[in-house]
Amino acid sequence: MARRPLVMGNWKLNGSKAFTKQLVEGLKAELANVEGCDVAIAPPVMYLAEAEAALVGSKIALGSQNVDVNISGAFTGDISTEMLKDFGAKYIIIGHSERRTYHKESDEFVAKKFAALKEAGLIPVLCIGETEAENEAGKTQEVCARQIDAVLNTLGASAFNGAVIAYEPIWAIGTGKSATPAQAQAIHKFIRDHIAKQDQAVADQVILQYGGSVNDKNAAELFTQPDIDGALVGGASLKADAFSVIVKAAAKAKN
Ligand code: PGA
């Protein structure tokens, strides 16, 4: 089954109103004629309004870097699924390693966010991945399985229908040291097989992105791998030209 690739930009804690407008305009210009790859950007939620306005007339989808599990009420500082929908956001990153590390988000809490997104009709982009120490200890598969099982065991395999998983080895994030295409492919295959044990059809359609130092130089080779369906891009998503090269590489490799 052919899966449509998805390249998503995770801007993290970067930008301003002017930067958002400028970057979106740049992306619209660079990507106007690119077919065969879904594209999304996740600016800081502060700038969703600017991004939404700038994206009018474009196929680039809007996303966010996080969401809370509650819809409304006394939850100071949180952002709900309904608020994200209000701005037309579609792809919502959850469980990013920076949230797991700096905000102590557990597998169980991330699974609740996954449930909240499904309930709201939004697309979860579930980030998983091992630390360098876990990698060196040969625990990569165990860690990825545990992070996925938190969702599988509470919501069932069908929750991954229409969902996205981003495999982001923590040692590769922002380090300039990407996993090799073969390394990433091996884990992506493991992830797909892990879901297939519960439901083959769900596993066949789930979008598996690779993330961690993806750039305009290494993207094309990563996308040659059969189970790498796109990328979650941090640093290189802040430059319209580099991000567009990555999108075009995915469109070319997968069509
Ligand atoms: P990076 O970040 O591309 O800057 O390594 C990826 C991510 O954390 O999503």
Side-chain angles (χ1 to χ4, degrees):
M1 183 193 134
R3 291 177 294 271
R4 195 173 158 81
L6 169 67
V7 174
M8 180 160 180
N10 172 12
W11 294 11
K12 306 194 180 184
L13 184 52
N14 295 291
S16 63
K17 287 197 269 189
F19 175 90
T20 299
K21 201 163 175 284
Q22 201 185 356
L23 181 48
V24 171
E25 292 306 336
L27 292 172
K28 280 169 73 174
E30 299 251 12
L31 297 173
N33 300 314
V34 179
E35 302 281 343
C37 182
D38 289 330
V39 182
I41 55 168
V45 284
M46 287 295 290
Y47 302 121
L48 284 182
E50 279 77 18
E52 184 189 24
L55 281 171
V56 168
S58 157
K59 281 182 290 187
I60 300 169
L62 196 52
S64 122
Q65 303 169 19
N66 186 28
V67 69
D68 187 48
V69 294
N70 297 295
I71 302 288
S72 66
F75 303 101
T76 302
D78 283 327
I79 305 290
S80 74
T81 51
E82 296 309 304
M83 291 172 179
L84 293 177
K85 275 160 63 171
D86 207 8
F87 288 90
K90 182 173 170 191
Y91 296 95
I92 315 300
I93 299 169
I94 51 170
H96 191 282
S97 64
E98 288 149 19
R99 304 276 332 159
R100 293 179 190 260
T101 302
Y102 304 135
H103 298 273
K104 306 276 181 288
E105 294 193 5
S106 67
D107 296 341
E108 292 67 34
F109 187 49
V110 174
K112 284 190 184 141
K113 293 187 178 197
F114 198 112
L117 290 171
K118 295 298 285 190
E119 179 73 29
L122 291 165
I123 299 176
V125 178
L126 172 68
C127 297
I128 62 170
E130 81 287 3
T131 64
E132 183 147 49
E134 288 163 339
N135 184 279
E136 283 166 3
K139 292 197 169 141
T140 299
Q141 296 190 354
E142 186 188 313
V143 170
C144 291
R146 191 197 73 219
Q147 291 173 333
I148 293 170
D149 285 348
V151 175
L152 280 178
N153 294 341
T154 51
L155 305 176
S158 64
F160 284 101
N161 263 323
V164 180
I165 297 173
Y167 168 59
E168 300 203 303
I170 296 170
W171 47 269
I173 296 176
T175 58
K177 191 175 112 187
S178 166
T180 65
Q183 271 175 327
Q185 166 59 24
I187 303 305
H188 281 228
K189 181 162 187 332
F190 168 79
I191 294 165
R192 202 179 300 286
D193 288 348
H194 188 73
I195 295 171
K197 281 186 252 163
Q198 302 218 4
D199 193 318
Q200 183 71 53
V202 171
D204 284 342
Q205 59 76 54
V206 72
I207 298 296
L208 300 184
Q209 295 178 313
Y210 168 76
S213 296
V214 176
N215 60 38
D216 49 346
K217 309 278 186 308
N218 61 19
E221 209 189 331
L222 285 160
F223 297 143
T224 61
Q225 302 299 315
D227 288 295
I228 300 182
D229 307 319
L232 184 56
V233 184
S237 75
L238 299 172
K239 295 189 197 102
D241 51 354
F243 188 71
S244 300
V245 167
I246 298 167
V247 172
K248 287 174 192 167
K252 189 166 173 225
K254 302 295 177 186
N255 291 283

